[in-house]
């Protein structure tokens, strides 16, 4: 279990040390692909603890929507900021259409950081999002994806 004193980047790095980067990426993808409270899914509690930090025990205990809520998906997307493999591109592009704005915002940030060209259409659609933070993240992602010479 990761210490709540670690930054998200440090916590993801520690989890990669423990289980391997490929397994962390796979876990993040798994958390992202099952969306919403209507989806019943197995949740890797240890991974959620590593990704979510101090708030994770509350969520795993049922708070804020619990395991089926949006926080595990937010944390999974954030995990992909710090450990990336191109095979995560479809999951992060799909996360740009998540019902939860925090997931959409984080997806746009990941798309920008890793220049996920395959997500250009998905992030373009976020420019009209109802949440300002999502629009800002989308604009940054589009700027990063469309900069000349990239």
């Amino acid at each position: 279990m990761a210490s709540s004193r670690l930054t998200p980047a440090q916590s993801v790095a520690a989890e990669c040390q423990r289980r391997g980067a490929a397994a962390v990426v796979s876990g993040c993808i798994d958390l992202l692909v099952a969306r919403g409270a209507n989806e019943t899914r197995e949740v890797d509690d240890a991974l959620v603890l590593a990704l979510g930090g101090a708030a994770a025990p509350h969520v795993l205990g049922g708070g804020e929507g619990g395991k089926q809520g949006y926080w595990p998906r937010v944390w999974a997307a954030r995990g992909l900021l710090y450990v990336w493999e191109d095979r995560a591109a479809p999951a992060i592009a799909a996360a740009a259409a998540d019902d939860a704005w925090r997931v959409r915002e984080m997806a746009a940030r990941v798309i920008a950081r890793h220049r996920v060209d395959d997500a250009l259409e998905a992030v373009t659609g976020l420019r009209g999002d109802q949440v300002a933070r999502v629009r800002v993240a989308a604009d940054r992602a589009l700027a990063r994806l469309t900069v000349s010479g990239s």
Side-chain angles (χ1 to χ4, degrees):
M1 174 174 24
S3 168
S4 61
R5 294 180 215 182
L6 297 178
T7 67
Q10 292 169 330
S11 185
V12 170
E15 196 63 13
C16 287
Q17 243 347 80
R18 189 174 82 71
R19 64 172 74 197
V24 173
V25 171
S26 292
C28 289
I29 292 168
D30 289 346
L31 285 169
L32 283 173
V33 296
R35 298 193 314 219
N38 295 331
E39 292 285 337
T40 303
R41 66 180 192 258
E42 287 289 318
V43 173
D44 182 340
D45 290 359
L47 181 61
V48 172
L49 286 168
L51 297 172
H58 174 69
V59 170
L60 288 173
E64 303 297 325
K67 294 177 183 184
Q68 306 308 319
Y70 63 85
W71 282 112
R73 297 192 314 278
V74 173
W75 299 331
R78 183 176 67 189
L80 293 172
L81 278 174
Y82 305 113
V83 59
W84 178 257
E85 293 179 1
D86 288 341
R87 65 189 172 93
I92 205 65
D98 197 281
D99 292 339
W101 71 266
R102 290 179 190 274
V103 178
R104 296 192 306 273
E105 177 191 22
M106 190 58 67
R109 291 180 60 198
V110 173
I111 290 164
R113 174 163 297 173
H114 299 293
R115 292 188 178 190
V116 183
D117 291 330
D118 291 345
L120 180 63
E121 185 177 332
V123 81
T124 298
L126 294 178
R127 293 184 78 194
D129 198 274
Q130 63 187 7
V131 178
R133 286 174 50 171
V134 175
R135 292 191 305 270
V136 168
D139 287 342
R140 286 182 182 147
L142 285 169
R144 179 114 178 167
L145 292 175
T146 59
V147 67
S148 62
S150 61

